């Protein structure tokens, strides 16, 4: 397996849970990217002074996990229209400072939960905070960028273009580094695809079909936040 660890490079890229399992132990800094929508949700919430507890399962255990941490639990159904929060970034735009929210997600949140056993700084990033995240990562030598991807119906990994583009955007901002070939490939995708074109990717089309076009618009905003999102113990909070 050593051929696949990208160990000769400062900036490495690999997808999903396998990246955490095989590459995270040798990283000083891990950046998990789930643009639509976990990472964007965290960015929106942290920018407003909220903290986000990642949790991998959408079941009763999430509500128990929230209660034990004096936090709210996000509604599992994104279509939920009542008061409260969901995995829709737009639902978090009016979050009050100090809100503590458990946000279950099978992709970005699950990867964070899996990664925190390793001795590395953990960030989550999206298009809206690429510059801020790059600044936060500058002091680390071995950086592992993990595009989360999505799931096919059989629960296998579906590489998500929006996550690859955001990963490439972050990598392009990590200058004077030794990039792996995988990292360079993501950078090339970012440099050759516009946000307008990205709005036609599968994940965006799915959300638009389901009535969440406003979420797509929010997720595709680039560098509108001055804050990176770093895991501090069990929760993500804003760092500048």
């Amino acid at each position: 397996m050593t051929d696949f660890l990208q160990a000769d490079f400062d900036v490495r890229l690999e997808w999903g849970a396998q990246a955490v399992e095989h590459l995270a132990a040798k990283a000083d800094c891990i950046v998990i990217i789930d643009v639509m929508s976990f990472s964007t949700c965290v960015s929106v919430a942290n920018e407003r002074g909220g903290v986000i507890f990642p949790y991998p399962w959408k079941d009763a255990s999430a509500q128990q996990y929230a209660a034990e941490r004096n936090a709210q639990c996000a509604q599992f159904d994104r279509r939920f229209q009542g008061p409260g929060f969901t995995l829709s970034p737009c639902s978090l735009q009016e979050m009050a400072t100090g809100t503590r929210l458990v946000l279950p997600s099978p992709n970005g949140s699950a990867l964070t939960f899996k990664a925190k056993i390793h001795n590395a700084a953990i960030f989550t990033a999206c298009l809206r905070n690429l510059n801020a995240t790059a600044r936060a990562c500058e002091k680390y030598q071995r950086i592992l960028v993990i595009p989360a991807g999505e799931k096919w119906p059989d629960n296998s990994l579906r590489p998500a273009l929006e996550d690859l583009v955001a990963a490439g955007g972050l990598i392009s901002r990590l200058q004077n580094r030794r990039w792996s070939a995988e990292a360079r490939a993501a950078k090339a995708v970012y440099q050759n695809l516009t946000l307008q074109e990205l709005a036609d990717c599968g994940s965006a089309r799915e959300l638009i079909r389901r009535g969440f076009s406003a979420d797509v618009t929010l997720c595709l905003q680039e560098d509108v936040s001055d804050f990176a999102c770093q895991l501090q113990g069990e929760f993500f909070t804003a760092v500048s």
Side-chain angles (χ1 to χ4, degrees):
M1 290 297 297
T2 56
D3 296 328
F4 302 100
L5 300 184
Q6 305 172 44
D8 294 334
F9 304 96
D10 300 332
V11 181
R12 308 151 187 187
L13 178 141
E14 190 52 76
W15 286 91
Q18 297 301 320
V20 178
E21 181 173 347
H22 297 293
L23 278 72
K26 298 297 185 181
D28 303 314
C29 171
I30 299 168
V31 185
I32 294 167
I33 298 178
D34 182 3
V35 172
M36 296 184 187
S37 302
F38 174 77
S39 298
T40 303
C41 285
V42 176
S43 176
V44 171
N46 284 176
E47 189 175 43
R48 295 193 57 81
V51 298
I52 297 293
F53 294 81
Y55 195 74
W57 301 293
K58 293 183 177 182
D59 58 23
S61 68
Q63 295 165 334
Q64 179 64 31
Y65 186 80
E68 292 169 353
R69 285 151 184 83
N70 192 29
Q72 303 177 48
C73 184
Q75 298 290 332
F76 301 154
D77 189 347
R78 191 182 191 127
R79 295 168 297 180
F80 178 75
Q81 297 296 318
F85 306 112
T86 72
L87 201 56
S88 162
C90 288
S91 77
L92 308 178
Q93 288 184 296
E94 303 301 323
M95 175 178 280
T97 299
T99 299
R100 297 163 64 86
L101 180 69
V102 170
L103 188 61
S105 154
N107 299 309
S109 197
L111 292 179
T112 303
F113 216 74
K114 187 178 180 72
K116 62 183 184 177
I117 67 169
H118 296 286
N119 186 26
I122 298 176
F123 297 86
T124 188
C126 56
L127 288 165
R128 69 193 317 273
N129 63 356
L130 294 176
N131 281 336
T133 305
R135 289 194 302 270
C137 292
E138 284 177 352
K139 62 184 176 182
Y140 301 102
Q141 183 62 36
R142 300 174 299 174
I143 301 172
L144 172 60
V145 182
I146 304 178
E150 300 289 340
K151 296 288 194 303
W152 287 110
D154 67 358
N155 209 41
S156 62
L157 173 70
R158 175 178 70 79
L161 182 58
E162 68 277 9
D163 295 346
L164 184 63
V165 169
L170 175 61
I171 289 162
S172 73
R173 289 160 169 80
L174 297 171
Q175 298 295 318
N176 303 314
R177 302 285 188 144
R178 295 175 299 164
W179 296 319
S180 71
E182 291 83 354
R184 289 178 181 274
K187 175 174 172 282
V189 173
Y190 168 76
Q191 292 175 333
N192 287 278
L193 195 72
T194 67
L195 293 181
Q196 183 176 1
E197 291 171 321
L198 190 57
D200 202 33
C201 73
S203 298
R205 291 171 70 91
E206 178 194 27
L207 287 178
I208 291 168
R209 176 183 57 77
R210 293 172 57 198
F212 295 101
S213 59
D215 279 344
V216 173
T217 298
L218 196 157
C219 288
L220 295 184
Q221 293 176 331
E222 186 170 359
D223 282 324
V224 297
S225 175
D226 294 327
F227 298 99
C229 303
Q230 184 172 7
L231 193 70
Q232 307 282 4
E234 293 185 315
F235 57 81
F236 281 106
T237 189
V239 294
S240 57

